[in-house]
Amino acid sequence: SDPKSYCMLTSKEDAEYVSPILSEYVEALEKTKMLVLQCLAVGLSLPDPQYFCKKHTENNSSLRLLRYPATSKDTGNRCKEHSDYGSITLLLTDGVSGLEAYHEGKWIPVPHKDGCLVVNA
């Protein structure tokens, strides 16, 4: 069975219903998303820095709030291996280990740094 609890919000109105602070967070993430997309276009030397931003005008982002229960050294995998969907994933971690990325044929831990988001593009 799946031990996590979660909530998926697909609009700013959903977030506002849950909490005005969460609505502000969604707004900040939308701005961050557009900045990351612009940075990707610049990093790829595309002629238009807004190339990817123009592809993301339909406001179809979603916010998943996940909470995993505490673990011990004997706890197995709490979330099965998967690929994120969409163009990018912005992930805020709380410093609890467990997040891993598949890189060059092996799983490696994703380090936590206070105040930073993990970007999966």
Side-chain angles (χ1 to χ4, degrees), residues 3-53:
K4 72 181 175 291
S5 54
Y6 66 92
C7 173
M8 182 177 278
L9 307 172
T10 58
S11 71
K12 187 175 177 192
E13 293 76 25
D14 287 350
E16 183 69 36
Y17 177 77
V18 174
S19 163
I21 292 171
L22 192 56
S23 181
E24 289 178 32
Y25 184 63
V26 167
E27 213 169 293
L29 286 174
E30 281 294 323
K31 290 177 183 175
T32 303
K33 173 185 79 174
M34 290 304 195
L35 180 60
V36 169
L37 291 170
Q38 185 176 5
C39 289
L40 288 170
V42 170
L44 292 169
S45 301
L46 298 180
D48 181 3
Q50 297 299 317
Y51 177 81
F52 292 120
C53 294

Side-chain angles (χ1 to χ4, degrees), residues 26-98:
V26 167
E27 213 169 293
L29 286 174
E30 281 294 323
K31 290 177 183 175
T32 303
K33 173 185 79 174
M34 290 304 195
L35 180 60
V36 169
L37 291 170
Q38 185 176 5
C39 289
L40 288 170
V42 170
L44 292 169
S45 301
L46 298 180
D48 181 3
Q50 297 299 317
Y51 177 81
F52 292 120
C53 294
K54 291 175 182 175
K55 305 287 185 192
H56 289 81
T57 60
E58 294 184 16
N59 194 25
N60 60 1
S61 298
S62 60
L63 174 66
R64 290 181 63 202
L65 305 171
L66 299 165
R67 181 191 168 280
Y68 291 94
T71 63
S72 69
K73 290 183 352 182
D74 298 327
T75 302
N77 188 350
R78 296 183 303 166
C79 182
K80 295 185 180 186
E81 177 183 325
H82 66 278
S83 295
D84 292 342
Y85 55 88
S87 301
I88 62 171
T89 298
L90 303 176
L91 180 66
L92 178 65
T93 64
D94 60 3
V96 176
S97 64

